[in-house]
């Protein structure tokens, strides 16, 4: 599957921009972002140069998990607008040469979805559309430990909720208001495929498939290994479950096979391995175009989980990203990202969000975008937006964060100071503060009261200032995206890691058809001396530097020695023959 510049799919050259509608732009002053607000900001995305807009869920929802709990797959929640607004957004994006990818959330629905409401009746034909089970043998429903399995939910607590009416439990890997669909039932699958075709017929250009590798469960529902004395790890029985490849191949045949070449399918897959990703994205298997995996964003998690923060070791990051580059070199495709709606802001996480924010934000972008794969930009990342730096529990809105705080307080784990430090670093709300458009009240996001507080640094960090400043993070992202569009080596070149054991410098080459890129990034606030050796060719041209986040410094010496300034990024390009 080693593509040439002539036969490579369009998405190998594309850059995707994620919009979190609730926090992007509010057109009506109710404090919540909406579709007309997005429509009014498309010139920003066009100037940035992105190719695809990925829209987080805008479907009708009780908003228990900010829209990832869907009660109607074919309707827009009134808080975001109307179907007609979405049609106008699709048309406006297409006019600008951009595509729209919708979030597809079909591992689970809302407990307010008509399918689930009907399934609550044990006599309903839809009872088997979800995972309903009685209490454990010999135990009364509702008794401690009577849940059908001992699995822990991703949001804390058990994965089973008792329904008092029927005396049975339903499965929810996430919130109790997000019951899991039973993909073993072919009627469920057919209903999902029909809904997907309906959206494609409206002009949507593909789907980012939320936790799609969790849809196949081991039907025996075995208990998981207990690691903390309370709940078991059910992952081995639902992460890339026994029929996952069958289901995705069936989906492709039912939804995408007669629309080749124009759409994009992205599978978000927590816990997926490189080897599994090769299979999922092998074009010959016809499952998904690329995976969204989480290995590299778990490297700073301690033994206590994501809120138990540990410093990132650059050697670990290089080992992880390098393994994915090597594993998908000949078959498969990966998504490249630092930020999204579930991750804290990378400039605060792995960079310097203070005095050297611009330098670290642009260095991190350089290293990421010049790997092999399709880069994703999360709203505000192109401005170097930072974590929220909230200092009180009542400033947070995220269900995962709030559940963590409640559980920790219940068992007396850590002080309030410790809890606040952990969630300030890692809460998903760091990514969900409103987009910072200008220095007017509420950062130009709304004329009302925003649903979550605006980051207090919006007067210094905002789109209006950066679009007017040629040296800004925004304009650096424009140059980086343009380089991918302009030079095939960025999209398709082979990848070779350099200096794998260096603790502060990330270095690699990309090579295609006689062209080579050398990429260097200093992951520290200190000057770093680097010895490139033979990676720096003799007689490299004087104009080899094609992108940098500092004014041009001294080039490497003839024997490949150079000095990188704090958070410096450089990209060199030359012809090999």
């Amino acid at each position: 599957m080693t593509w040439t510049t002539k036969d490579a799919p369009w998405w190998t050259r594309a850059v995707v921009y994620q919009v979190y509608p609730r926090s992007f732009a509010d057109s009506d002053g109710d404090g919540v972002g909406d579709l007309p607000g997005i429509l009014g900001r498309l010139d920003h995305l066009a100037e940035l140069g992105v190719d695809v807009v990925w829209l987080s869920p805008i479907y009708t929802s009780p908003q228990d998990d900010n829209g990832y709990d869907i009660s109607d797959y074919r309707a827009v929640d009134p808080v975001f607008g109307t179907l007609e607004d979405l049609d106008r957004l699709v048309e406006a994006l297409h006019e600008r040469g951009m595509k729209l990818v919708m979030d597809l959330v079909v591992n689970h629905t809302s407990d307010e979805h008509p399918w689930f409401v009907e399934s609550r009746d044990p006599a309903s034909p839809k009872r088997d559309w979800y995972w309903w089970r009685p209490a454990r043998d010999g135990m009364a429903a509702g008794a401690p430990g009577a849940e059908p399995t001992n699995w822990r939910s991703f949001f804390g607590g058990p994965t089973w909720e008792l329904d008092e009416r029927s005396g049975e439990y339903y499965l929810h890997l996430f919130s109790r208001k997000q019951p899991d669909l039973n993909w073993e039932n072919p009627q469920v699958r057919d209903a999902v495929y029909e809904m997907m075709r309906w959206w494609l017929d409206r002009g949507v250009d593909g789907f980012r498939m939320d936790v799609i590798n969790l849809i196949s469960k081991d039907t025996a529902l075995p208990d998981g290994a207990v690691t903390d004395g309370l709940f078991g790890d059910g992952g081995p029985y639902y992460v890339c479950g026994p029929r996952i490849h069958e289901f995705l191949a069936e989906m492709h045949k039912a939804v995408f096979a007669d629309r080749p070449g124009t759409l994009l399918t992205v599978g978000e897959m927590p816990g997926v391995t490189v080897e599994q990703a090769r299979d999922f994205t092998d074009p010959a298997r016809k499952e998904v175009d690329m995976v969204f995996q989480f290995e590299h964003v778990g490297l700073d998690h301690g033994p206590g989980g994501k809120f138990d923060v540990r410093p990132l070791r650059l050697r670990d990051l290089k080992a992880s990203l390098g393994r994915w580059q090597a594993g998908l070199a000949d078959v498969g495709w990966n998504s490249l990202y630092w930020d999204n709606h579930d991750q804290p802001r990378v400039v605060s996480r792995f960079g310097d969000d203070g005095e050297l924010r611009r330098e670290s934000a642009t260095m991190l972008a350089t290293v990421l975008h010049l790997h092999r794969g399709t880069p994703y930009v999360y709203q505000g990342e192109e401005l170097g937006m930072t974590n929220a730096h909230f200092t009180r529990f009542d400033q947070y809105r995220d269900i995962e964060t709030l559940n963590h705080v409640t559980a920790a307080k219940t068992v007396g784990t850590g002080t309030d100071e410790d809890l606040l430090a952990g969630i300030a670093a890692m809460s998903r709300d760091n990514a969900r503060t409103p987009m910072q458009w200008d220095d007017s009240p509420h950062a130009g996001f709304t004329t009302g009261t925003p649903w979550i507080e605006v980051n207090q640094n919006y007067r210094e960090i905002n789109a209006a200032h950066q679009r007017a400043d040629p040296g800004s993070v925004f304009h650096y992202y424009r140059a980086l995206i343009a380089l991918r569009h302009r030079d095939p080596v960025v999209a398709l070149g082979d990848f070779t890691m350099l200096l794998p054991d260096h603790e502060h410098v990330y270095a690699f080459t990309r090579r295609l058809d006689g062209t080579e890129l050398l990429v260097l990034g200093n992951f520290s606030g200190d000057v770093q001396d680097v010895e490139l050796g033979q990676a720096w060719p003799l007689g490299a041209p004087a104009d080899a530097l094609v992108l940098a986040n500092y004014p041009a410094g001294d080039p490497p010496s003839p024997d490949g020695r150079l000095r990188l300034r704090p958070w410096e990024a450089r990209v060199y390009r030359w012809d090999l023959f």
Side-chain angles (χ1 to χ4, degrees), residues 243-303:
R243 299 183 68 188
I244 184 61
H245 290 290
E246 175 190 346
F247 291 160
L248 290 180
E250 180 185 77
M251 176 191 289
H252 185 278
K253 182 177 181 181
V255 179
F256 303 107
D258 62 348
R259 311 172 194 245
T262 61
L263 303 177
L264 176 62
T265 58
V266 185
E268 185 204 28
M269 298 188 176
V272 71
T273 66
V274 175
E275 294 72 25
Q276 290 166 334
R278 282 173 62 92
D279 286 341
F280 284 122
T281 61
D282 182 347
R285 296 175 63 98
K286 301 186 187 307
E287 296 184 24
V288 296
D289 294 326
M290 64 187 73
V291 296
F292 216 88
Q293 53 87 17
F294 293 80
E295 184 179 298
H296 66 296
V297 292
L299 296 175
D300 56 350
H301 297 180

Side-chain angles (χ1 to χ4, degrees), residues 15 65 77 92 106 141 168 226 265 314 325 335 359 362 384 394 465-466 495 512-513 516 521 526 552:
V15 176
D65 186 24
D77 195 293
V106 290
E168 288 194 338
V226 177
T265 58
L314 185 62
Q325 291 289 295
S335 302
E359 288 75 15
T362 51
D394 64 2
H465 287 175
Q466 293 202 21
F495 177 96
L512 178 72
D513 297 336
E516 185 169 70
D526 300 315

Side-chain angles (χ1 to χ4, degrees), residues 17-28 30-39 41 53-59 63 66-68 76-77 79-81 86 89 100-103 341 378-379 431-435 437 445-446 451:
Y17 188 96
Q18 182 187 359
V19 168
Y20 194 69
R22 173 174 288 271
S23 300
F24 192 67
D26 172 26
S27 70
D28 59 9
D30 67 355
V32 179
D34 48 41
L35 293 172
I38 299 169
L39 191 60
R41 297 290 187 174
V53 172
W54 154 26
L55 204 60
S56 285
I58 44 78
Y59 314 96
Q63 303 295 326
N66 281 8
Y68 283 86
V76 171
D77 195 293
V79 76
F80 297 126
L86 186 63
L89 179 60
L100 180 70
V101 166
M102 298 278 281
D103 228 311
H341 64 290
Y378 179 72
Q379 62 185 47
R432 301 177 181 187
T433 58
M435 181 72 172
W437 292 109
F445 164 71
T446 182
W451 71 275

Side-chain angles (χ1 to χ4, degrees), residues 254-505:
V255 179
F256 303 107
D258 62 348
R259 311 172 194 245
T262 61
L263 303 177
L264 176 62
T265 58
V266 185
E268 185 204 28
M269 298 188 176
V272 71
T273 66
V274 175
E275 294 72 25
Q276 290 166 334
R278 282 173 62 92
D279 286 341
F280 284 122
T281 61
D282 182 347
R285 296 175 63 98
K286 301 186 187 307
E287 296 184 24
V288 296
D289 294 326
M290 64 187 73
V291 296
F292 216 88
Q293 53 87 17
F294 293 80
E295 184 179 298
H296 66 296
V297 292
L299 296 175
D300 56 350
H301 297 180
K306 68 179 286 184
F307 296 106
D308 178 19
V309 187
R310 297 290 184 268
L312 175 71
R313 294 179 54 194
L314 185 62
R315 285 180 294 177
D316 293 343
L317 181 67
K318 288 190 277 191
S320 174
L321 295 183
R323 182 165 55 252
W324 281 84
Q325 291 289 295
L328 301 182
D330 58 336
V331 173
W333 200 255
N334 196 14
S335 302
L336 308 172
Y337 73 96
W338 294 128
D339 288 1
N340 63 41
H341 64 290
D342 285 334
Q343 302 296 329
R345 294 286 183 177
V346 70
V347 71
S348 298
R349 185 180 192 177
F350 297 154
D352 177 350
D353 65 5
E355 184 178 349
L356 295 176
R357 181 189 58 84
R358 177 201 168 275
E359 288 75 15
S360 65
T362 51
M363 184 282 295
L364 288 160
T366 305
V367 168
L368 182 78
H369 281 237
L370 293 179
H371 279 72
R372 192 170 190 266
T374 296
Y376 287 64
V377 179
Y378 179 72
Q379 62 185 47
E381 187 178 351
E382 78 279 15
L383 308 178
M385 279 180 59
T386 72
N387 276 357
H389 299 299
F390 289 155
T391 58
R392 306 187 318 273
F393 293 120
D394 64 2
Q395 293 174 288
Y396 289 93
R397 302 289 180 268
D398 173 39
I399 184 174
E400 179 191 45
T401 301
L402 298 176
N403 284 355
H404 168 73
V405 171
T406 298
K409 284 178 172 287
T410 299
V411 299
T413 304
T415 64
D416 281 3
E417 183 180 9
D418 292 336
L419 277 175
L420 283 166
I423 63 177
M426 299 300 286
S427 172
R428 302 191 301 180
D429 279 340
N430 284 306
R432 301 177 181 187
T433 58
M435 181 72 172
Q436 294 165 208
W437 292 109
D438 55 43
D439 60 6
S440 66
H442 306 309
F445 164 71
T446 182
T447 58
T449 301
W451 71 275
I452 190 172
E453 291 180 33
V454 175
N455 194 315
Q456 291 303 300
N457 60 22
Y458 73 88
R459 294 175 184 85
E460 294 77 42
I461 303 172
N462 63 67
H465 287 175
Q466 293 202 21
R467 290 175 71 178
D469 175 8
S472 67
V473 178
F474 175 80
H475 284 288
Y476 190 91
Y477 264 83
R478 291 186 66 216
L480 192 55
I481 292 168
L483 180 62
R484 169 170 290 268
H485 289 159
R486 182 173 68 245
D487 202 329
V489 69
V490 178
L492 300 174
D494 294 339
F495 177 96
T496 301
M497 185 72 76
L498 306 176
L499 311 176
D501 296 322
H502 200 293
E503 295 184 353
H504 302 295
V505 174

Side-chain angles (χ1 to χ4, degrees), residues 58-118:
I58 44 78
Y59 314 96
T60 302
S61 166
Q63 303 295 326
D64 181 63
D65 186 24
N66 281 8
Y68 283 86
D69 49 316
I70 297 169
S71 56
D72 188 343
Y73 285 112
R74 302 194 191 199
V76 171
D77 195 293
V79 76
F80 297 126
T82 66
L83 272 174
E84 290 71 27
D85 290 330
L86 186 63
D87 291 340
R88 284 190 286 271
L89 179 60
V90 170
E91 182 179 5
L93 285 168
H94 289 174
E95 288 174 351
R96 291 167 170 81
M98 291 182 276
K99 296 178 181 288
L100 180 70
V101 166
M102 298 278 281
D103 228 311
L104 181 77
V105 188
V106 290
N107 174 71
H108 47 266
T109 68
S110 166
D111 65 346
E112 298 181 30
H113 194 292
W115 296 347
F116 185 76
V117 172
E118 185 176 339

Side-chain angles (χ1 to χ4, degrees), residues 136 145 147-151 160 220-226 232-237:
R136 286 180 184 269
E147 293 86 2
T149 72
N150 66 353
W151 298 352
W160 295 92
L221 300 176
D223 278 342
V226 177
D233 176 13
Y237 309 112

